[in-house]
Amino acid sequence: MRIAVQQGGFRMAWIGLVEPGALKATPLVSEGVEQGYLQQIGAALANREEDPGPVGQALRQKKMVVVNDIERLRNTC
């Protein structure tokens, strides 16, 4: 994550954990400026099958998701 932020130009990077059967993602580590974003991630994911955001995408696709423009993403979700 440090490389993504310091050398890759990302403003923030994070890794989270979703336990089997859990309805929330728990941020484990982060790097960069997050401005409260990670507190929002801890919200319930009851609609994760329909969630258009990056956490919902990651859960459906079972792989990491990279968001290059989080501000634009917020305006479309």
Side-chain angles (χ1 to χ4, degrees):
M1 288 179 310
R2 186 176 306 134
I3 292 171
V5 173
Q6 292 178 355
Q7 296 178 4
F10 286 90
R11 187 165 184 197
M12 191 262 293
W14 69 281
I15 295 174
L17 175 68
V18 177
E19 295 182 33
L23 296 178
K24 67 177 185 173
T26 303
L28 298 177
V29 293
S30 67
E31 183 77 27
V33 180
E34 61 95 11
Q35 296 181 317
Y37 178 76
L38 295 179
Q39 284 73 32
Q40 295 175 13
I41 294 302
L45 295 173
N47 294 321
R48 65 179 174 238
E49 294 300 320
E50 300 172 12
D51 179 7
V55 174
Q57 289 177 30
L59 292 172
R60 285 191 303 279
Q61 298 171 12
K62 297 184 177 167
K63 63 180 186 177
M64 72 175 183
V65 172
V66 175
V67 177
N68 291 311
D69 188 349
I70 196 73
E71 190 62 36
R72 187 170 58 114
L73 178 70
R74 285 183 189 171
N75 293 331
T76 61
C77 290

